[in-house]
Amino acid sequence: MKTRILFVDDEPNVLSALRRMFHDMRGEWDMAFASDGAAGLAMIAEQPFDVVVADMRMPGMDGAMFLREAQIRNPGAIRIVLSGHSDREMILQTVRPAHQFLPKPCQPAELKAAIARSLGLREVFLDERVKNVVARLDRLPTVPRLYAALLDLLSCEDPSMREVAGLIAQDVGMSAGILKLVNSAFFGLRTHVSSPAHAVNLLGLEVIKALVLGVGLFDRFRKEDFRDFDLEKLWAHSFGTGRLARLIAVGEGAPGAIQEHCYIAGLLHDVGKLVMATNFPDAYREVIAACQEGRGTVLDMERQVFGASHAEVGAYLLGLWGVDDPVVRAVYLHHEPGRDRWAGFSPLLAVHVANRFEHELVVISRGYALNPLDELYLAASGLSERLPAWREACAAEVARGQAAGEA
Ligand SMILES: [Fe+2]
Ligand SMILES: [Fe+2]
């Protein structure tokens, strides 16, 4: 089936340029062109699209307003904004509803790559409902304690950049949100940023303030809405896995960029659980109950109930948000690394091992079977004999953290 793509732009020249640029894609793409937001919404009402690409500045309904409507009326679509660099103020308005930001005029190859990348993981979803929820999401819940600390810091007269960055880098929801923004082409960075702390430094305090206080980029987790879901526990496991994955990378002498990939992939590896548990609390309760009764592994039960596991849901979300490929891959396969063809050390390997160690050394939830290590995969990577050294280093790190009173 062809991918349905809607382009919305008020300048007739831009629309005809897009039509020309993508003429050779007619075999794969079914394209529609609208000259304003209202016309675009009318087309959506007729038949939903897979991808919606909108201009930022348009008379009447601007790009931000249009995308917010599209988010409601066509929730499963991937939403891309095209904008000029002078639109910095306006861009902040699209931070939530847009998945990706591309500079205008756009290079056909860049737009093609962004679309192909975003569509990449959609095939794994059997369940339309889950796919739509993931694409509709525009922010993730954050740990209330960290969120409150961030608000306190930002209300100080002269907040410390290091402290702000440190807080954001500890939270799954805040880190993912900040990476989505900083990796948008809008900032014109040549390299991909995978470190939340680096991202905060690049954006600067004023933008962070505008995002947190003005745009509401982060959402405080409300315990009262999700009684059976322990965000603190998931947070502690995620943060712990990130730290251990980075420690393993450091031990292997991996370059700094790989160490960052290992940390962020570890921090975000279970983000799919957060998405599922907070968007489908009743169904996720069913998954947890079934695991506790020993009816199957978390992965099996999630696939049975949702048609997809938390690994797939998390990877799809992070891919849509423009997170680096090695990180998305590590999240996608953290329970099934043997499906990867790469041999040798990688963020996937580090997260697979760190996830197991973290469960083993810290949290053992009632009824949750320990995630088995994939021995064949480790042997194929040629790193099996490193396991005892990694386990020892991780145990020492966990003991150090516990002695210091950390989670
Ligand atoms: Fe997991
Ligand atoms: Fe995990």
Side-chain angles (χ1 to χ4, degrees):
M1 222 167 65
K2 285 191 194 177
T3 302
R4 283 177 52 75
I5 306 184
L6 171 64
F7 293 95
V8 186
D9 201 304
D10 62 306
E11 288 172 60
N13 292 345
V14 172
L15 284 185
S16 46
L18 286 166
R19 224 186 274 263
R20 266 197 320 277
M21 262 194 285
F22 297 119
H23 189 72
D24 59 332
M25 294 301 289
R26 283 170 311 152
E28 292 166 51
W29 291 356
D30 203 349
M31 289 172 272
F33 300 87
S35 57
D36 60 35
L41 292 178
M43 289 179 180
I44 285 174
E46 266 172 45
Q47 201 186 336
F49 289 85
D50 301 302
V51 182
V52 174
V53 184
D55 180 25
M56 187 68 235
R57 280 185 192 277
M58 294 188 284
M61 185 186 296
D62 65 22
M65 281 160 74
F66 168 72
L67 285 183
R68 273 197 291 270
E69 276 305 313
Q71 188 179 12
I72 298 165
R73 302 185 195 191
N74 192 167
I78 291 149
R79 298 176 295 275
I80 299 176
V81 162
L82 296 182
S83 78
H85 280 254
S86 58
D87 299 336
R88 209 175 167 102
E89 274 304 303
M90 285 182 88
I91 269 289
L92 290 182
Q93 298 306 315
T94 57
V95 162
R96 282 183 49 190
H99 290 124
Q100 318 245 330
F101 313 73
L102 292 177
K104 201 178 171 187
C106 85
Q107 298 299 321
E110 207 175 339
L111 184 54
K112 268 188 210 171
I115 291 175
R117 214 170 156 267
S118 309
L119 290 171
L121 284 173
R122 269 162 65 109
E123 278 72 55
V124 301
F125 290 93
L126 302 172
D127 190 330
E128 202 64 18
R129 199 181 46 134
V130 177
K131 191 166 73 183
N132 286 352
V133 160
V134 179
R136 199 199 63 212
L137 276 186
D138 61 12
R139 54 183 184 170
L140 291 167
T142 57
V143 174
R145 178 170 53 80
L146 296 174
Y147 184 64
L150 181 67
L151 290 187
D152 274 356
L153 252 182
L154 293 179
S155 66
C156 295
E157 207 161 294
D158 192 13
S160 139
M161 187 74 125
R162 252 191 83 222
E163 282 181 54
V164 171
L167 269 176
I168 289 178
Q170 285 180 46
D171 188 83
V172 174
M174 294 200 250
S175 289
I178 221 81
L179 289 181
K180 171 186 167 193
L181 176 64
V182 83
N183 284 320
S184 66
F186 162 68
F187 283 95
L189 302 175
R190 291 202 179 165
T191 51
H192 235 72
V193 178
S194 293
S195 151
H198 186 194
V200 169
N201 279 307
L202 284 169
L203 293 173
L205 271 177
E206 282 318 303
V207 172
I208 298 287
K209 264 191 190 171
L211 289 170
V212 178
L213 307 173
V215 182
L217 182 67
F218 308 140
D219 188 15
R220 187 183 66 86
F221 177 78
R222 278 167 295 276
K223 178 74 191 149
E224 54 281 15
D225 296 342
F226 311 102
R227 287 185 204 290
D228 299 340
F229 180 63
D230 193 338
L231 182 67
E232 280 284 350
K233 220 175 199 175
L234 182 71
W235 170 79
H237 167 62
S238 303
F239 185 48
T241 303
R243 291 206 314 190
L244 297 187
R246 181 163 53 195
L247 187 75
I248 292 170
V250 171
E252 289 309 294
I258 307 282
Q259 292 176 22
E260 282 305 334
H261 278 162
C262 290
Y263 171 72
I264 196 70
L267 181 73
L268 301 178
H269 78 287
D270 279 340
V271 69
K273 284 189 186 174
L274 186 61
V275 171
M276 290 161 126
T278 52
N279 287 282
F280 304 100
D282 293 336
Y284 210 72
R285 207 170 287 141
E286 221 179 285
V287 169
I288 294 174
C291 295
Q292 287 176 341
E293 288 160 19
R295 282 195 269 142
T297 64
V298 179
L299 229 56
D300 293 340
M301 295 321 301
E302 285 171 343
R303 283 187 177 139
Q304 215 172 82
V305 174
F306 293 97
S309 74
H310 68 274
E312 287 143 2
V313 167
Y316 181 49
L317 177 82
L318 297 176
L320 281 183
W321 286 19
V323 170
D324 254 358
D325 283 339
V327 175
V328 173
R329 205 139 185 87
V331 172
Y332 184 40
L333 297 175
H334 72 272
H335 289 286
E336 301 162 311
R339 289 169 56 198
D340 198 41
R341 287 183 302 274
W342 175 260
F345 186 78
S346 68
L348 170 61
L349 188 141
V351 171
H352 176 62
V353 173
N355 180 39
R356 157 74 193 210
F357 284 178
E358 209 286 333
H359 277 299
E360 191 179 295
L361 295 163
V362 188
V363 191
I364 302 171
S365 304
R366 186 168 61 89
Y368 268 61
L370 277 179
N371 297 301
L373 276 177
D374 186 334
E375 307 282 354
L376 281 176
Y377 165 73
L378 289 169
S381 303
L383 290 162
S384 295
E385 78 283 1
R386 299 287 298 136
L387 263 183
W390 293 341
R391 185 176 267 114
E392 198 180 313
C394 289
E397 170 73 8
V398 168
R400 197 198 58 73
Q402 282 168 345
E406 293 168 5

